[in-house]
Amino acid sequence: MKFNYPEGLKNTTPINARLAIKSSFPNVKRNIALLYLLWFCNDKKAQYDFYNQVDDKVKIKDEYLKPVFNKTKNLVNLKTDGDLYQIFKNEVNSTELVKSQIESLQVAFELVWCLADITFVDKSFSNVKERTGGKRYPKSISFTSNMDLINYAFLGQERELMSVLTKWLFEKSKLINYVNTDSTSEQLASWENKLLDILSLISENTAFGIKIPSVDKHLDLIFKKEGIYRSIVEHHQENVNIIGDSETKGPLRILLTMLKQNMEPYLKDTGKKGIVSLNTSNISAENILNYAQRINTNFKLSKVDLTNSDESEHKQKSDIESCRFGGKNIIFYGAPGTGKSYGIEKYIRDHGIEEYSAQEGNEKVFRITLYPEYTYSDFVGQLMPVVKNIPNSNEKQITYDFQEGIFTLALKYAFYHKEEPVFLVLEEMSRSNVASVFGDLFQLLDRNSEGTSEYAINNELLATKALGKDPSAPVQLPRNLTILGTVNTSDQNVFAMDTAFKRRFEWRYVSTKVNVENFDNNPLLHIIGVQRDISWKDFFYAINNFIVNDLHLGEDKQIGPYFIKFSKDISVNNNLIRNKLLQYLWEDVENIANMRSDKRLFDESIRSFSDLYDKYPDTQVFSDEFLSSISNGDNELNND
């Protein structure tokens, strides 16, 4: 017997969160009502093309509008004389569901309530087609199972649901009046609240974006409604600012409209711009927190790893979690030019930001290069005088604002984006006194098995300015914040790290060997005294062998494959060797080797760097011993 099997999961493209779009949707209730009525009164199919093109506008087709009219006509009357259906038709076609541009509809019905997927009937159109010009085009609406959720919630109460939807559809109309003939106002209010509760529940997954002020930039904060509930209850805040300090965009605009129209059962508008508080008129703050925790569990269980299996379960748990949330302190160390910074770049790409480029940067990566004068105040932040205008006056006053350092910026971003990996990159750590730079933060570097600081500290500035908590609140490194550093081994004598500091980091050695396939930083070089043109790889391998085996210096004096980044122009490459390589070899290798070995890297006739600089590349500058090692050796590093 032949069996049929289920169709496999469809690959879908993630929907754009549209956090930056300037969408508006002023009359929320009537548009939700119309969308549901069009679906419910027309056989509840999965997809419809409701619209006709009429000049530069669109109208709802009569074949779809008449069933809505027949279902609701006994619940309305006219405030003026005229044809009820014609006026009904005109009123419906003046709603945002018909007149608004497609992006506003998508934000409302795809992102906020997840009721429908809205596209142009003409699939060649992009979503920006209606941004300018004012012309509207027919749209195709595909409904989600959330419509069924509303339908099932009102089983046996169809008349009650029709009453609420008809009221919403025409409560702002100047021509049509809703007539409530078979229920009390209290009953109607209870049905309305039931529908609002359902709509609020299905909008809990909506992401909102705001910008939080910082010293030199704004930090993007992404949150959901449950984050508002928790912020108020868990942190004992009376209210919460949900708009930041910049223009509101995307789904947030719709949320603000919903609050003004009293559509949110657990939140209320305080009357101050962007400030909300809990609505505890019908439910306690404790019950709202329990609701928020149930929502959070929904989010957790909705993220299912379909690649998981019994054999790989342990690996999935350990590898995926460590990939998403590093919670580590790692230092990449090695000789100059070995690719330590590239190692950090690759680590970031492998652990959460796949497209990361150090050249382009990323808002989740906070990068700084340390230097001898760099201090704790630079790292964490400090109070600085700021001249500000006095309101309603021409006078100015000096105030003191906390200007955040790179550590505070990274901690703040990680705290407000707990589901995202965040990286603090400290280049050239040995160039500063890092123990002094970290100060009391040293205690935070001990991590537990989850990647969170094992011990917390009390730091009033960090608690209030970075975390938005009480001054006495404990401060810890969250598990989504990874600290990455580089140490150039040839610079370790600048500021030596103490053992206690070192052991709080994982040290990853970056070899001087070429460890990539198709190494392309490898031109042929013409060096006087070498019998043939020699590749850069063979040349720097020979230098490194000579440094260790003949000059008796440590590996920290060797050079890496990217000590010089070559050009395709040979003359440019000669200048790079002359201006960069020779200077390093003379200052950091030859001068030190003179005290430890009777051999020399450069010819004995060369007594000064100026002499070396003038003679290269037209004269033999390297010693016979070194040149002989190139001729006799296999040019492979043997310092393992």
Side-chain angles (χ1 to χ4, degrees):
M1 180 182 296
K2 183 178 180 180
F3 295 97
N4 292 323
Y5 295 97
E7 292 292 322
L9 287 174
K10 291 183 177 180
N11 290 323
T12 57
T13 303
I15 188 171
N16 190 317
R18 298 175 181 270
L19 298 179
I21 190 173
K22 297 180 180 180
S23 59
S24 296
F25 212 65
N27 299 299
V28 176
K29 290 181 179 178
R30 73 175 184 177
N31 290 282
I32 293 176
L34 179 57
L35 184 76
Y36 186 88
L37 287 167
L38 284 168
W39 175 76
F40 182 85
C41 299
N42 287 285
D43 301 324
K44 295 183 266 188
K45 293 181 180 179
Q47 186 270 329
Y48 293 91
D49 295 345
F50 288 125
Y51 302 92
N52 269 329
Q53 185 84 51
V54 181
D55 298 325
D56 287 347
K57 301 178 180 179
V58 293
K59 305 286 185 181
I60 296 177
K61 299 174 184 178
D62 279 341
E63 64 184 278
Y64 297 117
L65 194 54
K66 283 184 177 178
V68 177
F69 174 74
N70 292 333
K71 199 75 172 178
T72 60
K73 63 182 179 181
N74 294 328
L75 295 171
V76 297
N77 61 27
L78 285 175
K79 298 178 182 178
T80 183
D81 295 333
D83 183 321
L84 179 59
Y85 176 68
Q86 189 59 46
I87 294 175
F88 180 96
K89 180 178 179 179
N90 292 339
E91 289 284 291
V92 168
N93 282 313
S94 68
T95 63
E96 287 76 15
L97 185 62
V98 180
K99 295 176 63 177
S100 287
Q101 58 155 308
I102 192 170
E103 289 181 297
S104 294
L105 301 179
Q106 289 170 334
V107 170
F109 295 119
E110 293 179 8
L111 295 172
V112 177
W113 294 289
C114 193
L115 294 174
D117 176 31
I118 303 178
T119 60
F120 286 115
V121 172
D122 187 337
K123 302 305 180 186
S124 67
F125 290 172
S126 69
N127 286 332
V128 301
K129 181 73 173 178
E130 294 179 331
R131 278 191 182 177
T132 57
K135 188 172 182 179
R136 299 292 178 255
Y137 301 91
K139 300 166 185 71
S140 180
I141 300 181
S142 299
F143 290 97
T144 74
S145 59
N146 280 336
M147 303 295 281
D148 298 275
L149 180 65
I150 297 172
N151 183 48
Y152 295 146
F154 282 90
L155 282 177
Q157 293 182 311
E158 179 185 307
R159 175 76 175 177
E160 289 83 348
L161 178 59
M162 290 301 107
S163 295
V164 172
L165 295 176
T166 306
K167 173 179 179 289
W168 283 8
L169 186 57
F170 295 111
E171 65 183 346
K172 292 188 177 293
S173 173
K174 296 180 179 179
L175 300 176
I176 294 178
N177 188 49
Y178 164 71
V179 180
N180 181 15
T181 59
D182 57 358
S183 62
T184 65
S185 58
E186 290 79 9
Q187 288 174 320
L188 182 62
S190 69
W191 303 333
E192 187 172 5
N193 288 335
K194 179 178 178 179
L195 181 54
L196 289 174
D197 286 348
I198 296 170
L199 291 171
S200 180
L201 180 63
I202 61 180
S203 69
E204 288 289 355
N205 203 42
T206 306
F208 306 99
I210 63 175
K211 291 186 178 297
I212 300 175
S214 182
V215 174
D216 54 358
K217 64 177 180 178
H218 286 80
L219 295 178
D220 291 326
L221 170 62
I222 310 300
F223 66 95
K224 298 180 180 181
K225 284 192 295 181
E226 61 89 26
I228 305 175
Y229 311 145
R230 288 190 293 106
S231 180
I232 295 175
V233 178
E234 292 182 354
H235 298 155
H236 308 290
Q237 303 293 322
E238 185 175 344
N239 48 49
V240 167
N241 179 353
I242 64 168
I243 65 171
D245 70 341
S246 59
E247 181 183 8
T248 56
K249 299 177 183 177
L252 183 59
R253 286 189 171 189
I254 297 178
L255 176 60
L256 294 173
T257 300
M258 292 159 61
L259 288 166
K260 289 179 180 178
Q261 297 180 8
N262 299 316
M263 291 183 64
E264 279 298 313
Y266 304 128
L267 295 173
K268 64 180 180 181
D269 186 2
T270 64
K272 298 178 181 178
K273 185 178 180 181
I275 306 299
V276 300
S277 62
L278 291 187
N279 181 8
T280 55
S281 56
N282 296 316
I283 186 171
S284 68
E286 181 181 358
N287 286 336
I288 294 176
L289 178 59
N290 284 320
Y291 169 76
Q293 290 170 342
R294 293 196 298 273
I295 291 296
N296 205 30
T297 302
N298 277 13
F299 298 156
K300 177 182 176 181
L301 297 184
S302 66
K303 297 177 181 178
V304 180
D305 179 10
L306 296 174
T307 65
N308 200 11
S309 64
D310 290 341
E311 305 84 48
S312 61
E313 183 175 2
H314 177 73
K315 182 178 186 300
Q316 292 290 336
K317 286 183 178 179
S318 60
D319 289 359
I320 291 178
E321 284 302 308
S322 64
C323 176
R324 286 193 63 210
F325 300 109
K328 293 180 178 292
N329 312 316
I330 302 172
I331 289 176
F332 292 79
Y333 73 105
T338 49
K340 298 179 288 296
S341 296
Y342 174 78
I344 283 181
E345 186 174 2
K346 185 177 185 302
Y347 183 92
I348 293 173
R349 289 199 299 266
D350 291 343
H351 291 79
I353 309 178
E354 295 181 0
E355 304 300 322
Y356 176 67
S357 162
Q359 185 175 16
E360 297 177 1
N362 186 282
E363 62 185 0
K364 303 172 190 175
V365 180
F366 297 80
R367 199 179 199 107
I368 193 72
T369 299
L370 303 186
Y371 51 88
E373 291 78 23
Y374 196 80
T375 66
Y376 177 86
S377 295
D378 297 317
F379 192 47
V380 175
Q382 55 192 314
L383 291 171
M384 297 290 289
V386 178
V387 178
K388 293 184 177 180
N389 292 322
I390 299 176
N392 304 319
S393 170
N394 294 326
E395 297 181 4
K396 299 180 183 294
Q397 63 180 358
I398 297 178
T399 62
Y400 287 85
D401 286 350
F402 179 66
Q403 297 193 14
E404 298 143 316
I406 194 75
F407 176 83
T408 302
L409 292 172
L411 179 65
K412 186 175 183 178
Y413 192 97
F415 179 77
Y416 285 104
H417 299 78
K418 294 180 180 177
E419 296 303 315
E420 301 178 22
V422 180
F423 301 91
L424 173 60
V425 179
L426 309 175
E427 297 274 14
E428 304 289 350
M429 290 180 68
S430 55
R431 300 291 299 170
S432 71
N433 186 346
V434 289
S436 176
V437 168
F438 272 79
D440 60 337
L441 308 180
F442 172 86
Q443 189 76 14
L444 302 179
L445 296 176
D446 278 317
R447 308 260 193 161
N448 60 25
S449 59
E450 295 182 353
T452 304
S453 291
E454 191 166 359
Y455 308 104
I457 65 170
N458 292 105
N459 185 305
E460 180 177 340
L461 285 175
L462 288 177
T464 57
K465 303 299 184 181
L467 308 183
K469 296 184 177 182
D470 294 332
S472 60
V475 176
Q476 293 175 289
L477 295 182
R479 71 189 188 105
N480 63 323
L481 176 60
T482 290
I483 300 176
L484 304 174
T486 64
V487 165
N488 188 336
T489 52
S490 67
D491 290 336
Q492 286 199 74
N493 59 336
V494 179
F495 283 100
M497 292 186 190
D498 61 69
T499 303
F501 190 88
K502 281 185 176 181
R503 68 180 178 83
R504 284 163 170 79
F505 283 83
E506 175 185 330
W507 289 73
R508 297 194 179 185
Y509 177 67
V510 184
S511 172
T512 53
K513 288 187 176 182
V514 173
N515 54 13
V516 295
E517 296 182 7
N518 303 317
F519 178 53
D520 58 1
N521 188 48
N522 196 32
L524 287 177
L525 306 174
H526 181 69
I527 306 295
I528 300 295
V530 180
Q531 296 177 356
R532 66 188 187 285
D533 285 348
I534 184 172
S535 70
W536 163 245
K537 175 185 173 183
D538 287 345
F539 187 54
F540 87 78
Y541 272 13
I543 291 174
N544 286 342
N545 280 330
F546 196 79
I547 287 173
V548 172
N549 299 326
D550 294 271
L551 300 181
H552 307 303
L553 300 179
E555 292 179 37
D556 58 303
K557 295 303 178 184
Q558 294 181 324
I559 58 175
Y562 302 100
F563 185 90
I564 297 176
K565 294 181 180 178
F566 287 101
S567 165
K568 294 181 179 179
D569 188 331
I570 295 176
S571 63
V572 172
N573 290 342
N574 278 330
N575 283 330
L576 287 172
I577 291 175
R578 186 186 197 191
N579 296 330
K580 188 170 184 180
L581 178 63
L582 295 186
Q583 194 276 340
Y584 173 77
L585 293 178
W586 182 265
E587 294 289 339
D588 288 71
V589 175
E590 182 81 340
N591 286 342
I592 298 175
N594 287 337
M595 297 181 287
R596 300 189 181 185
S597 172
D598 57 357
K599 295 183 179 180
R600 296 194 61 182
L601 178 61
F602 294 108
D603 189 89
E604 289 186 358
S605 64
I606 298 174
R607 295 296 180 181
S608 66
F609 178 70
S610 62
D611 192 18
L612 171 64
Y613 191 84
D614 290 340
K615 289 182 176 180
Y616 184 86
D618 301 320
T619 306
Q620 177 180 319
V621 296
F622 291 99
S623 67
D624 290 337
E625 291 168 314
F626 171 65
L627 296 174
S628 176
S629 72
I630 294 179
S631 302
N632 298 331
D634 59 4
N635 296 325
E636 285 296 328
L637 283 182
N638 54 19
N639 58 354
D640 293 339

